[in-house]
Amino acid sequence: MIQHDVLIVGAGLAGMRCALEACKELDVAVLTKVYPSRSHSGAAQGGIAASLGNSEPDSWEEHMYDTVKGGDFLSDQDAVEEYVKAAPRIIYELEHMGCVFSRTPDGKIAQRSFGGHSKPRACFSADRTGHAILHALHEQLMKNAKSVKIYNEWYMHSLVVDGDRRCNGVVVSNIQTGEVEVIQAKAVVFCTGGYGRVYKFTSNAFASTADGVMAAFDVGIPLEDLEFVQFHPSGLYRQGILFSEAARGEGAYLLNGKGERFMEQYAPSRMELAPRDIVARAEQSEMDAGRGVNGENCIHLDLRHLGEARIMERLPQIRQLGIDFLGVDCIKECLPIQPTAHYSMGGIPTDKYSHVILDEKGTRMSGFFAAGECACVSVHGGNRLGTNSLLEATVFGERAGKSVLEYTVGIDYGDVNEGQEKARVLKKFEDIFQRDGSESYNDIRNEMKEIMMSHCGVFRDEEKLKVCIETLKGLQERFKNGRVTDKGKLFNTEIYEILELGNMLGISRLIANGALQRKESRGGHFRTDFPKRDDENFLHHSMTYDSPDGLVVKKKSVVITKYQPAERTY
Amino acid sequence: MATFRIKRFNPEKQPEPYFEEFQLDIQPGVTLLDCMNQIKWTLDGSFTYRMSCRSAICGSCAVKANGHALLACQRQAEHIVDNDETITLEPLGNMKPIKDLVVDFTPFWDKVNKIKPYLEPKEAPPEKERPQSQEEFLRIDDSSTCIMCGACYSDCNTLEVDENFLGPAALAKAQRFVGDSRDSQTFERVKELSEPGGIWDCTHCGECVERCPKPARPFDRIKEIMTVALEQGVHNNNGARHALSFFNSVKRSGNLNENRIPVESMGFFNISGLLSLLPIGLRMFFKGKVPPIIHHSIDEVDDVKRIFKELDQ
């Protein structure tokens, strides 16, 4: 059996930042189903938030208020406070590691405006900030190769949990060889990212498939705030690929089919730089009212007035994306865009120390930690502000590393029944290989993505959500009767896609169920049948549990310290 | 209907690779990766390749299409299809195939590791950020766009004959630190990069620049390292001596002294190196290919000298 003091699943910003912290004293392994440099953190474009005040005076208090208001007052404010306070230090440390940042004329880290932030506080590296940080952290891991072992292209199947609900390891398999192994660890950290792939239009990578959150749910850990899914206002038309909010940060306009800057109707003070939930809803409303471009399901993003020089300096990579994927050069033409599923505010519940918690009272689970998009701390509440996610991944990745260092003192390995754990996963493989079904997994996946987009997307209501849940149940049944072509062990990507689809069907049902239970509109969750925020009944986090009688949603209170909920206008 | 001619390889089933054809309608606006997925999801689930972000930033899906490496997610399929309505897909070159279009990246990453791919700062960090001017940022801007997709490595002509060559990606990554105003190891880095397998083994064919899906353009970065190496006085190697000899010859006479360059490149006191030139020298002599023993300047050599003088200033 493979043994490591700490096993981190996922090698994006959170996973690698955690590894760098934990490897100071421990034997650390990082397991990723891709390669570290392929992680989806690298696709983040616009920036990472911190109140450095490099272009205008700024403070952590303002950053905190913007974050809490942006999250529609569902954020846990004790966590937000520590998070925004840590931000400047975290950015300077990244810079010290060698991360490449764009600079102000006097050589400081440059900062730009972003939706929902009242000050220009997005530190950036042109329009590839995630990529710059991801590679800087990867460089540091290569420097520390002696104390961090990286398992590239390994898949995590399940957590090994004992009777005392202590996590003692994970069951994994090597994608290249198909070999199943158990890795025993004193502490396991999940940094497994989001699950936007459940939607038809998404900015997410093929790898963002809910493996981590569902592995947690499968061992009885509740999941928090799943109904809050962020739709990014500028996905490239039909492709859903991200076109950074930095474009609007630099001054781009949103135009409807009539050529009007329609944000005036929805957020007159912040216009295009209102938070994402508001902008995405405004776009969808325009399109639903027949004011899309040429009556189609898209809106125009107009960058032309920014000029070639600024676009080439600040947004060169995404300009190229427009050319490559749509044949549109944003220097000369308007770019057709639409809302695209982008970020999961919900996930595995943790406290502000990145310890996974087991219930609404905050009972810690021994040996299990989570950070980044897969976790719900919750700093983002009902809606995340742009540039706050790279910050979350880095701050709480580091925090998880520190917590692991503290936790593992005097801790020994827990018991693992290797044979039994392996057998369970081998049986799962065998079950899929043995299915001689008639259903196409591709059809099931497409139908799931379609129904989630149309019935559990930007606008939701009870009727749609019920249809959605029933459809998903049907798909889960059909899933058991799927047809597999590749039955080999060697680099069998088909079997892993099937496992991922199973996870996605699972999380989809949980999202839809959460959305059905929350009879109000808040942040990224909008119910047309309950269009107002309802603090009296719903100012709480939702915790979804599995039970013999089906899904149960319980309330977890929101930590409110500095800022009382107020009406959210922009 | 387009034909996708795909090189299939699955050593679990048969030891030799073979080509298999799939017919697919190419819808307007779809990428090559979309087509590959369509084949995998509707025609043959065992078709194997890597992919993740589908927005040209993760570097997973580099493959060879019609003989050249590219990122499958970045390219419109209708732009790649050739005159016979065919797209031929093969795994990346210069790496060992594992299954279908999946290759073993181990040597690629080993070489990235070799160039010490991390900042070695000059001093303990200040309280805030280290300042960097816009100009200093621009020096590492292009190399830091590299996504490690391996397209350059695949089509590198030097690697095809010399597996010890570090390759364009690792060298572009090296420039990222050689050019970084915050790094303290510039001299040590260029010294190591001037060793065999390093910058001077590049044949300047420019293929890596053609294949790079980003502005990283490895050969341009290699030239930048060469410049720094020469500026830092790292001359004690064949490559640097060759470049300097070339430079001096043109400066002195307006053209190349082809007898002098190989000797100067080896170094006058490198006896074994000079002896190694003997066989090829003799073969050239017997074939009548030896350049004139007395080297003549071109007629307009004064113009050349004037150009060099102006450049110096």
Side-chain angles (χ1 to χ4, degrees):
Chain A
M1 189 159 49
I2 306 170
Q3 267 190 347
H4 293 285
D5 290 335
V6 189
L7 180 81
I8 300 162
V9 184
L13 256 52
M16 290 203 281
R17 190 63 192 79
C18 177
L20 286 176
E21 208 57 34
C23 81
K24 288 173 181 168
E25 290 171 30
L26 300 167
D27 154 43
V28 177
V30 180
L31 184 130
T32 162
K33 63 179 178 176
V34 286
Y35 279 83
S37 70
R38 319 269 188 240
S39 306
H40 199 51
S41 304
Q45 295 167 346
I48 176 166
S51 55
L52 305 185
N54 281 356
S55 49
E56 268 182 47
D58 197 1
S59 66
W60 67 263
E61 288 91 344
E62 287 163 280
H63 188 184
M64 177 171 172
Y65 182 71
D66 291 342
T67 300
V68 171
K69 184 181 173 191
D72 224 344
F73 298 91
L74 194 68
S75 310
D76 287 322
Q77 296 184 14
D78 56 339
V80 178
E81 181 168 338
E82 293 200 19
Y83 155 81
V84 297
K85 278 181 174 169
R89 175 183 59 80
I90 282 284
I91 302 291
Y92 294 138
E93 279 175 8
L94 288 171
E95 197 281 329
H96 298 157
M97 285 177 196
C99 184
V100 180
F101 284 106
S102 295
R103 300 288 174 149
T104 61
D106 57 347
K108 293 179 184 164
I109 293 172
Q111 296 189 282
R112 61 160 64 115
S113 300
F114 242 78
H117 289 284
S118 56
K119 292 287 167 64
R121 67 171 70 99
C123 311
F124 60 95
S125 179
D127 53 357
R128 48 171 202 282
T129 314
H131 174 265
I133 301 172
L134 185 75
H135 282 255
L137 293 176
H138 188 208
E139 288 157 10
Q140 294 301 308
L141 277 198
M142 290 192 269
K143 188 178 180 182
N144 288 287
K146 283 199 182 91
S147 40
V148 184
K149 157 99 182 154
I150 300 179
Y151 292 87
N152 292 311
E153 299 187 317
W154 284 62
Y155 185 88
M156 181 278 304
H157 293 271
S158 55
L159 287 163
V160 179
V161 178
D162 65 19
D164 299 329
R165 307 198 83 178
R166 172 181 161 187
C167 178
N168 294 328
V170 289
V171 192
V172 298
S173 66
N174 181 339
I175 294 174
Q176 194 175 326
T177 63
E179 291 305 322
V180 175
E181 299 278 358
V182 177
I183 302 182
Q184 192 181 25
K186 295 173 187 170
V188 173
V189 189
F190 270 13
C191 303
T192 54
Y195 36 84
R197 291 306 302 176
V198 303
Y199 286 94
K200 182 177 178 185
F201 296 112
T202 175
S203 62
N204 282 198
F206 283 108
S208 304
T209 54
D211 310 331
V213 282
M214 286 312 289
F217 190 69
D218 288 344
V219 294
I221 298 165
L223 297 178
E224 185 172 348
D225 288 348
L226 295 177
E227 58 273 30
F228 294 101
V229 174
Q230 177 167 85
F231 288 83
H232 194 289
S234 51
L236 291 185
Y237 184 42
R238 290 209 180 104
Q239 301 272 358
I241 290 168
L242 180 63
F243 194 88
S244 178
E245 185 172 325
R248 280 171 285 134
E250 298 290 346
Y253 302 144
L254 289 171
L255 306 175
N256 63 16
K258 293 167 140 178
E260 300 161 338
R261 279 182 77 186
F262 58 87
M263 282 310 297
E264 201 156 22
Q265 312 297 322
Y266 301 88
S269 76
R270 295 289 294 166
M271 295 292 284
E272 281 86 356
L273 285 179
R276 289 173 178 170
D277 57 331
I278 292 172
V279 181
R281 267 196 299 279
E283 290 179 356
Q284 194 64 50
S285 303
E286 291 295 303
M287 299 186 304
D288 290 350
R291 292 192 293 272
V293 175
N294 301 327
E296 289 186 53
N297 227 8
C298 69
I299 288 294
H300 266 161
L301 183 66
D302 189 356
L303 288 83
R304 292 172 299 177
H305 56 284
L306 301 182
E308 180 168 356
R310 191 164 185 85
I311 292 175
M312 290 311 292
E313 184 203 332
R314 295 292 182 90
L315 309 163
Q317 194 232 162
I318 58 173
R319 171 195 171 237
Q320 195 61 43
L321 286 179
I323 295 172
D324 291 339
F325 291 95
L326 294 175
V328 175
D329 183 350
C330 64
I331 291 173
K332 300 185 194 117
E333 295 168 81
C334 290
L335 201 75
I337 54 160
Q338 67 182 153
T340 186
H342 183 60
Y343 186 84
S344 338
M345 270 72 75
I348 304 167
T350 70
D351 60 21
K352 61 181 179 180
Y353 302 100
S354 300
H355 277 268
V356 172
I357 55 173
L358 286 164
D359 53 38
E360 51 284 5
K361 295 190 287 288
T363 311
R364 282 181 173 179
M365 177 164 171
S366 296
F368 189 37
F369 304 79
E373 190 176 348
C374 73
C376 182
V377 183
S378 140
V379 287
H380 307 309
N383 170 64
R384 173 177 70 76
L385 294 185
T387 70
N388 265 355
S389 66
L390 291 182
L391 182 65
E392 181 201 14
T394 321
V395 168
F396 290 101
E398 184 205 37
R399 179 57 73 93
K402 285 194 192 325
S403 292
V404 161
L405 286 173
E406 289 162 17
Y407 169 80
T408 47
V409 175
I411 288 270
D412 208 350
Y413 289 101
D415 290 336
V416 174
N417 185 336
E418 190 189 8
Q420 187 185 315
E421 296 294 341
K422 262 190 187 178
R424 206 184 319 217
V425 168
L426 285 169
K427 187 171 179 310
K428 208 170 175 181
F429 273 123
E430 211 42 45
D431 279 350
I432 296 175
F433 286 140
Q434 295 297 330
R435 287 175 197 172
D436 206 12
S438 54
E439 294 286 349
S440 145
Y441 288 113
N442 186 47
D443 291 347
I444 297 171
R445 185 169 43 224
N446 287 341
E447 287 173 44
M448 168 195 75
K449 292 163 85 74
E450 194 75 53
I451 195 83
M452 285 299 286
M453 199 76 206
S454 60
H455 286 60
C456 191
V458 176
F459 291 116
R460 304 155 170 185
D461 64 41
E462 181 172 328
E463 200 182 326
K464 277 186 179 175
L465 289 166
K466 283 183 170 163
V467 171
C468 184
I469 290 167
E470 285 313 306
T471 309
L472 290 167
K473 280 183 188 164
L475 292 174
Q476 281 183 316
E477 281 308 308
R478 285 166 59 192
F479 177 76
K480 295 177 191 158
N481 191 29
R483 184 177 57 240
V484 62
T485 7
D486 194 345
K487 298 189 178 181
K489 289 183 84 172
L490 178 74
F491 222 104
N492 186 340
T493 51
E494 189 186 29
I495 191 89
Y496 289 102
E497 285 182 1
I498 294 169
L499 294 170
E500 290 170 342
L501 176 58
N503 288 330
M504 287 195 286
L505 288 167
I507 197 75
S508 292
R509 253 183 86 182
L510 301 183
I511 297 170
N513 181 68
L516 182 65
Q517 304 295 325
R518 187 175 281 276
K519 297 181 169 72
E520 65 155 355
S521 291
R522 183 188 297 272
H525 169 71
F526 196 93
R527 289 280 299 258
T528 50
D529 45 354
F530 299 97
K532 289 262 181 296
R533 193 175 84 195
D534 177 0
D535 285 344
E536 204 168 305
N537 295 303
F538 288 99
L539 183 58
H540 59 72
H541 300 289
S542 60
M543 301 278 271
T544 305
Y545 295 77
D546 204 3
S547 84
D549 307 322
L551 300 175
V552 176
V553 178
K554 293 187 186 171
K555 296 177 179 182
K556 175 171 165 264
S557 53
V558 178
V559 181
I560 295 169
T561 55
K562 273 179 145 37
Y563 304 113
Q564 288 304 313
E567 199 190 346
R568 182 172 174 251
T569 51
Y570 288 94
Chain B
M1 267 301 178
T3 302
F4 285 78
R5 231 177 122 248
I6 300 175
K7 195 169 194 178
R8 304 298 304 270
F9 174 57
N10 183 354
E12 272 185 330
K13 288 189 168 167
Q14 74 176 70
E16 293 303 320
Y18 60 95
F19 278 95
E20 187 174 0
E21 293 190 353
F22 297 92
Q23 309 292 324
L24 202 70
D25 252 337
I26 296 181
Q27 304 292 328
V30 303
T31 63
L32 175 59
L33 181 62
D34 291 332
C35 294
M36 288 158 60
N37 284 334
Q38 199 63 22
I39 292 169
K40 181 176 181 67
W41 294 338
T42 63
L43 300 173
D44 183 350
S46 70
F47 176 34
T48 304
Y49 44 90
R50 293 189 176 102
M51 60 166 180
S52 191
C53 77
R54 91 223 142 88
S55 53
I57 195 71
C58 81
S60 299
C61 67
V63 295
K64 261 191 183 178
N66 297 338
H68 296 294
L70 47 73
L71 272 189
C73 77
Q74 193 186 29
R75 306 290 282 272
Q76 301 283 308
E78 54 188 9
H79 295 167
I80 316 172
V81 73
D82 67 13
N83 295 334
D84 298 333
E85 290 292 304
T86 301
I87 296 178
T88 302
L89 294 179
E90 295 169 272
L92 292 180
N94 292 327
M95 285 180 258
K96 215 173 99 237
I98 294 174
K99 183 179 174 186
D100 291 346
L101 305 184
V102 174
V103 296
D104 181 7
F105 260 76
T106 313
F108 175 93
W109 287 112
D110 285 348
K111 287 173 184 178
V112 172
N113 260 307
K114 261 192 191 165
I115 60 104
K116 300 205 177 83
Y118 39 82
L119 191 77
E120 304 253 38
K122 285 183 173 146
E123 61 247 333
E127 192 192 333
K128 294 185 172 182
E129 71 267 57
R130 293 187 194 85
Q132 231 181 2
S133 68
Q134 183 66 10
E135 193 194 0
E136 287 165 339
F137 164 76
L138 287 176
R139 224 182 284 154
I140 50 174
D141 185 25
D142 287 334
S143 52
S144 66
T145 64
C146 173
I147 57 173
M148 298 284 163
C149 66
C152 58
Y153 193 96
S154 160
D155 288 21
C156 172
N157 285 303
T158 305
L159 276 166
E160 206 173 311
V161 293
D162 178 9
E163 61 177 20
N164 291 320
F165 183 45
L166 283 168
L171 289 173
K173 185 77 176 173
Q175 192 278 331
R176 148 84 190 81
F177 300 102
V178 168
D180 197 322
S181 59
R182 302 168 293 181
D183 195 82
S184 63
Q185 301 295 302
T186 316
F187 177 76
E188 289 77 5
R189 287 183 190 274
V190 293
K191 195 158 173 284
E192 273 181 44
L193 293 166
S194 297
E195 297 289 313
I199 46 175
W200 300 108
D201 283 0
C202 164
T203 60
H204 302 206
C205 70
E207 193 69 21
C208 54
V209 173
E210 293 291 311
R211 302 303 149 221
C212 180
K214 290 283 164 184
R217 301 170 63 91
F219 176 50
D220 292 353
R221 308 288 81 79
I222 293 172
K223 281 189 286 188
E224 287 165 359
I225 305 176
M226 288 171 170
T227 308
V228 176
L230 293 177
E231 282 169 0
Q232 295 265 333
V234 183
H235 296 168
N236 190 21
N237 59 76
N238 293 6
R241 280 191 297 258
H242 180 80
L244 291 170
S245 171
F246 205 99
F247 175 86
N248 288 329
S249 180
V250 174
K251 187 178 178 179
R252 270 196 298 262
S253 62
N255 65 358
L256 298 182
N257 184 340
E258 292 178 71
N259 287 321
R260 202 182 168 113
I261 285 179
V263 176
E264 285 188 346
S265 300
M266 273 302 166
F268 282 112
F269 305 106
N270 179 0
I271 304 299
S272 65
L274 290 172
L275 285 174
S276 74
L277 291 174
L278 218 55
I280 191 169
L282 286 172
R283 281 206 302 281
M284 285 168 71
F285 178 77
F286 288 120
K287 299 272 183 192
K289 299 279 186 194
V290 174
I293 300 298
I294 299 170
H295 180 69
H296 294 287
S297 300
I298 60 167
D299 294 342
E300 301 85 357
V301 65
D302 287 342
D303 291 344
V304 174
K305 285 183 179 164
R306 214 174 51 243
I307 293 170
F308 271 88
K309 207 169 164 189
E310 277 191 24
L311 281 175
D312 272 349
Q313 288 161 0

